[in-house]
Amino acid sequence: MQHRVGVEALALAVPHRFLDLEDLARARGIDPAKFTQGLGAKQMAVPDPGEDAPALAATAAKRALAASGIDVSRIGMVIVGTETGVDHSKAVASYVQGMLKLPRTVRTFDTQHACYGATAALHTAAQWIASGASHGKAALVVGADLARYGLKTVGEPTQGGGAVAMVVSDSPDLLELDFGVSGVDSLDVHDFWRPVGRREALVDGHYSIRCYLDALTASYTDWKQQALSRELVRKGDTLVSEQLARIAYHVPFCKMARKAHAQLRRVDLQERRGGKAWDEQAEAEEAPKLAASFETQVAPTLPISARVGNAYTASLYLGIASMLNLQAPSLVGKRVGLFSYGSGCTSEFFSAVVADKAVARIAAANIEDILAARERIDVEEYERLMGLASDAPLPTAPAPGTFRLEKIQEGRRIYAAG
Ligand code: COA
């Protein structure tokens, strides 16, 4: 059965300070090219304790509601995907409900599986709507996270943070999901984890890249079979992956998208070679085609992540925002591929079609203004902010239209609205 469901509007929120990664590289005695070319990053967001996951989630959600123009009485579900929640019990979604003064007639909860949480939330919302149980109501789905590895760690240049909020409904004005066509792959591994009580993540970085690529291979192969049988794509002269106008990957650092895209094409090419081993000649023939395909299909999904860094659950959705912000007019009616990966690990490859109101909807998100309003800080200030206790927010007034954690009283978090 076909269902029309997807993203009606989308908006983002980011910490108001950022660090240039060339400054960080110089301070650490590392060649800046390692960060800019080797990892593909330019800047990373630096949150202060007032910019926690609930504050960023609520700010993004407020903007998404404004971008959609939806009456809040039509929101029937709020799901926040996050791995940097603030309470073992109280959901970030509950804080969002409070800050946005949403009606009591909403179901609120969080979803967690590392960077995959927002994708779990998106599909949960889509299935609720498609089932008819929503009775015409819409869901507010948010991915909000702060990526923190710590000073002078191997993961330091891949930190960052931000939130993306989406209104998900049966009027997918921005992006219509290929509902029910979804490839998944999961495996119990320790590539990245953060035991309860730890502020910094633990990561086996190079292993996590291998886990990501294996997961991509399996979930893309699963999606491809379903997409072929539903005739969303066809076998022929054009590779199946090339039939997707753009592909947004989860990007813990931008270079990961390049590795992912090479792997995705390899899956298609290996199938075409009928099991013949991948050799130097195949690699040499593929190199220029991969470079061209990357520039067209993937590069437009990366500019926001290159400026914000890793935002865990929000990362894939920053990719969608980037691509539409840059190119929505030429993408209307076209199918895009989406890959979500959560360490631990679980993953999903799915697809969607850019809808006819995408141009107006993405313009309403004011992405350039939000990024341009940020303040560049030096390494000394970054290190000072990293040294602050998470429960000691700065006495800074929130910027207009944003929320900040103001204080914590007996574990109760109090937020201020600007
Ligand atoms: N100029 C240009 N490129 C350079 C360079 C230089 N001077 N020095 C190194 N590089 C390149 C390397 O060749 C490598 O590129 P490649 O991956 O294409 O081979 C890249 O920069 C990274 O160098 P590497 O030595 O592998 O970095 P690292 O050991 O410091 O670790 C991560 C990189 C990503 C593993 C690490 O930052 C990390 O653990 N991040 C957190 C986990 C994560 O994001 N995982 C992803 C999956 S969820």
Side-chain angles (χ1 to χ4, degrees):
M1 198 165 141
Q2 299 288 86
H3 290 284
R4 224 172 105 69
V5 61
V7 182
E8 186 174 323
L10 163 160
L12 55 88
V14 293
H16 81 282
R17 299 182 188 84
F18 72 89
L19 179 67
D20 191 286
L21 285 183
E22 294 200 17
D23 293 347
L24 179 65
R26 277 189 283 272
R28 299 287 178 256
I30 293 172
D31 179 358
K34 175 174 176 184
F35 293 174
T36 55
Q37 293 166 31
L39 298 176
K42 294 189 177 82
Q43 306 164 351
M44 67 184 191
V46 181
D48 72 56
E51 296 170 312
D52 63 1
L56 290 171
T59 301
K62 184 175 177 173
R63 290 171 177 162
L65 292 176
S68 73
I70 194 169
D71 187 318
V72 291
S73 65
R74 275 200 56 225
I75 299 294
M77 191 181 272
V78 180
I79 320 176
V80 178
T82 184
E83 55 180 300
T84 45
V86 291
D87 194 294
H88 288 305
S89 186
K90 187 172 166 66
V92 174
S94 169
Y95 280 111
V96 170
Q97 181 198 6
M99 280 184 258
L100 268 55
K101 300 185 172 49
L102 296 176
R104 293 184 70 150
T105 48
V106 288
R107 183 181 285 159
T108 55
F109 59 99
D110 293 353
T111 46
Q112 184 198 328
H113 193 145
C115 303
Y116 174 79
T119 302
L122 172 63
H123 290 296
T124 300
Q127 286 158 17
W128 172 64
I129 290 160
S131 73
S134 66
H135 302 295
K137 287 199 169 183
L140 188 55
V141 167
V142 190
D145 270 307
L146 306 170
R148 183 180 167 106
Y149 296 97
L151 299 180
K152 300 177 186 172
T153 60
V154 70
E156 185 177 32
T158 62
Q159 299 176 117
V164 174
M166 296 172 274
V167 174
V168 179
S169 76
D170 57 8
S171 305
D173 292 343
L174 190 82
L175 206 56
E176 181 174 347
L177 293 172
D178 289 326
F179 185 77
V181 182
S182 207
V184 295
D185 179 70
S186 301
L187 187 69
D188 178 10
V189 291
H190 273 90
D191 59 334
F192 167 108
W193 63 108
R194 190 166 66 90
V196 170
R198 276 191 69 99
R199 207 171 162 197
E200 277 86 21
L202 298 169
V203 62
D204 186 344
H206 293 280
Y207 178 53
S208 74
I209 293 172
R210 288 208 308 279
C211 291
Y212 176 121
L213 294 176
D214 285 350
L216 172 64
T217 302
S219 58
Y220 172 64
T221 303
D222 187 10
W223 172 84
K224 190 165 138 175
Q225 281 171 356
Q226 296 172 42
L228 284 165
S229 69
R230 277 265 298 262
E231 298 186 348
L232 304 183
V233 290
R234 288 181 175 71
K235 280 193 175 162
D237 290 345
T238 309
L239 296 180
V240 165
S241 59
E242 285 175 342
Q243 294 169 42
L244 297 167
R246 302 288 177 271
I247 304 174
Y249 298 94
H250 168 57
V251 277
F253 53 97
C254 288
K255 179 77 165 290
M256 191 67 226
R258 197 176 280 273
K259 293 176 191 290
H261 196 57
Q263 180 67 17
L264 196 82
R265 286 179 60 85
R266 184 82 70 89
V267 172
D268 282 349
L269 290 165
Q270 283 285 45
E271 189 184 343
R272 186 171 279 186
R273 287 166 68 82
K276 198 173 143 204
W278 189 259
D279 54 20
E280 276 182 23
Q281 192 193 339
E283 191 69 43
E285 282 172 15
E286 165 63 355
K289 293 180 192 159
L290 168 62
S293 151
F294 178 84
E295 282 312 311
T296 305
Q297 289 180 276
V298 185
T301 68
L302 299 176
I304 300 177
S305 290
R307 293 169 72 182
V308 166
N310 195 356
Y312 292 162
T313 49
S315 160
L316 167 64
Y317 301 93
L318 290 176
I320 295 172
S322 278
M323 153 188 105
L324 295 176
N325 193 41
L326 272 180
Q327 300 182 326
S330 60
L331 290 177
V332 171
K334 296 197 173 150
R335 176 161 285 110
V336 297
L338 305 166
F339 177 65
S340 181
Y341 175 78
S343 287
C345 69
T346 195
S347 66
E348 186 154 351
F349 195 99
F350 56 111
S351 53
V353 175
V354 178
D356 52 3
K357 291 192 185 140
V359 179
R361 291 291 192 206
I362 201 71
N366 291 324
I367 290 171
E368 281 310 323
D369 291 348
I370 290 167
L371 292 173
R374 300 180 310 154
E375 174 195 343
R376 178 174 173 174
I377 56 170
D378 59 20
V379 174
E380 199 181 327
E381 175 66 353
Y382 152 70
E383 291 186 347
R384 187 185 75 80
L385 291 167
M386 287 285 287
L388 295 175
S390 60
D391 59 355
L394 304 174
T396 307
T402 71
F403 295 94
R404 276 181 66 82
L405 174 66
E406 190 180 21
K407 56 189 168 195
I408 304 178
Q409 290 172 332
E410 292 180 341
R412 295 182 177 86
R413 301 174 87 85
I414 316 289
Y415 289 86

